[in-house]
Amino acid sequence: MRILLTGSSGWLGRFLAPRLRALGHDVTGLDIAPGTDTDVVGTVADRALIDRLFGERGIEAVIHGGALHKPDIVRYPNQAFIDVNSSGTLNLIEAAVAARASRFVFTSTTSLMISTAIREARGETAVWIDEEMAPLEPRNIYGVTKLAAEQLCRLIHRDHGLPVIVLRTSRFFPEDDDTHHDLSGENMKANELLHRRLTVEDAAEAHVIALERAPKIGFGTFIVSAPTPFARDEVAALKADAPAVIARHFPDAAALYERYGWHLPRSIDRVYDSGLAERVLGFRCATDFAAVLKAMRDGEELPFAHDASYISPKETLAAN
């Protein structure tokens, strides 16, 4: 297929573009920053550019991974988020309809499901998060604009029949967390694979599967995260004493962590349930917390990327 991939210079794009090309697809990479997998430098907010690309390149499918993200809140005004995340999505999906494209995959985020109350861990139990959770009350402009973009995808599918898959990905960024600094980056990423993270390789593969399955599914919204070992009836215990729950599932986790000088989470405030993606989309992340423990046990390289010095290509461009 002739695929338009937005965000091709970003962290996901650098893994997804080569994967798509290896499968024989003709990929046009679009990003505001130059990159190895970027063919066109420009913004999704430029409707004239988008229409021209569809016409000149004969685009048959779209994977829309480009966006402003949560760390960008301190660098860009609210209007920029609306222009890129919401209006940019509308530009792309309307162009896809006009071009009679066969499918559209939208990279969304679990962040839009996190209210201020969840973010501040106010409840007495961990929050079990699946696609049925409502109402959605995004806590910042990033979540608001991504939720608006999801609704635009739903509307266009309803009105025009374009097959659309929305992937609410959990965390897969390589850099350190911009708000939590009490654990090392690798320690924190390992912990998050219990309940709110996936690898970038798994994120890329989820998009490949979504691209294949979109025409059969029609429309679907899926949380994409490493499969959690926990059950819904463990939410109270996870909030009160996470190490005890982890020990039930992984008896040697504490000893392995001690060997690394790491710390297990004392409390877990949310759990992303990716079961629907497994049941309906046919996708399950290859890497989970058990894989981390196996690597620690066997003295092998950890199965996820960590790069404390990573800087988004668009920010590198801005700095120059």
Side-chain angles (χ1 to χ4, degrees):
M1 281 183 289
R2 292 185 293 274
I3 301 169
L4 176 61
L5 171 64
T6 71
S8 51
S9 294
W11 182 241
L12 175 62
R14 71 176 62 179
F15 287 84
L16 181 52
R19 178 80 177 94
L20 292 169
R21 288 177 174 136
L23 291 170
H25 297 298
D26 181 355
V27 180
T28 295
L30 172 66
D31 201 294
I32 63 170
T36 301
D37 297 296
T38 294
D39 306 282
V40 180
V41 175
T43 173
V44 295
D46 184 346
R47 181 58 184 265
L49 171 63
I50 298 303
D51 289 341
R52 179 170 61 80
L53 285 177
F54 272 84
E56 293 179 353
R57 307 256 175 166
I59 299 300
E60 299 171 295
V62 178
I63 299 180
H64 180 26
L68 290 180
H69 298 280
K70 185 260 182 183
D72 294 317
I73 291 173
V74 298
R75 297 186 284 262
Y76 295 88
N78 287 348
Q79 187 63 54
F81 280 82
I82 294 170
D83 293 343
V84 174
N85 293 357
S86 300
S87 297
T89 301
L90 182 62
N91 288 342
L92 286 163
I93 201 164
E94 286 187 337
V97 168
R100 300 184 182 277
S102 65
R103 63 206 74 190
F104 191 100
V105 178
F106 176 54
T107 311
S108 191
T109 172
T110 52
S111 181
L112 64 81
M113 307 179 78
I114 306 304
S115 65
T116 299
I118 295 175
R119 174 68 178 80
E120 296 178 354
R122 296 177 189 171
E124 295 182 358
T125 70
V127 180
W128 193 268
I129 299 175
D130 62 18
E131 293 81 358
E132 299 300 315
M133 191 180 81
L136 297 180
E137 300 175 339
R139 70 189 188 280
N140 54 38
I141 190 65
Y142 171 51
V144 167
T145 53
K146 294 295 273 190
L147 181 57
E150 284 193 7
Q151 294 301 320
L152 289 169
C153 289
R154 184 182 298 275
L155 177 67
I156 295 299
H157 166 74
R158 186 197 69 189
D159 290 350
H160 300 280
L162 174 66
V164 179
I165 300 294
V166 174
L167 299 179
R168 290 181 180 166
T169 60
S170 63
R171 293 177 161 205
F172 60 85
F173 55 79
E175 67 268 33
D176 288 331
D177 189 284
D178 63 339
T179 55
H180 299 282
H181 308 286
D182 54 335
L183 297 177
S184 72
E186 289 183 327
N187 187 168
M188 188 164 186
K189 287 178 172 62
N191 289 357
E192 289 175 342
L193 279 169
L194 284 162
H195 64 114
R196 60 178 300 192
R197 176 170 282 275
L198 73 163
T199 66
V200 66
E201 293 87 354
D202 279 333
E205 191 62 22
H207 285 74
V208 170
I209 299 301
L211 188 76
E212 295 172 355
R213 299 273 295 160
K216 182 174 182 179
I217 293 173
F219 183 90
T221 300
F222 302 98
I223 290 173
V224 182
S225 192
T228 182
F230 306 128
R232 192 184 291 262
D233 62 6
E234 294 178 301
V235 291
L238 284 169
K239 188 66 180 292
D241 187 359
V245 183
I246 294 167
R248 291 203 295 266
H249 294 275
F250 306 102
D252 65 342
L256 290 169
Y257 263 52
E258 185 176 2
R259 186 189 305 171
Y260 272 65
W262 285 6
H263 300 279
L264 290 167
R266 295 185 295 274
S267 176
I268 288 176
D269 63 359
R270 73 196 76 168
V271 177
Y272 295 141
D273 180 355
S274 58
L276 186 68
E278 186 170 351
R279 295 189 301 272
V280 177
L281 189 60
F283 173 77
R284 178 184 174 93
C285 289
T287 300
D288 57 10
F289 186 71
V292 175
L293 295 185
K294 181 181 185 303
M296 297 171 77
R297 203 178 290 121
D298 297 343
E300 298 175 347
E301 184 178 353
L302 294 170
F304 58 82
H306 172 69
D307 182 359
S309 63
Y310 177 82
I311 299 174
S312 168
K314 71 178 185 304
E315 298 313 311
T316 301
L317 180 67
N320 294 330

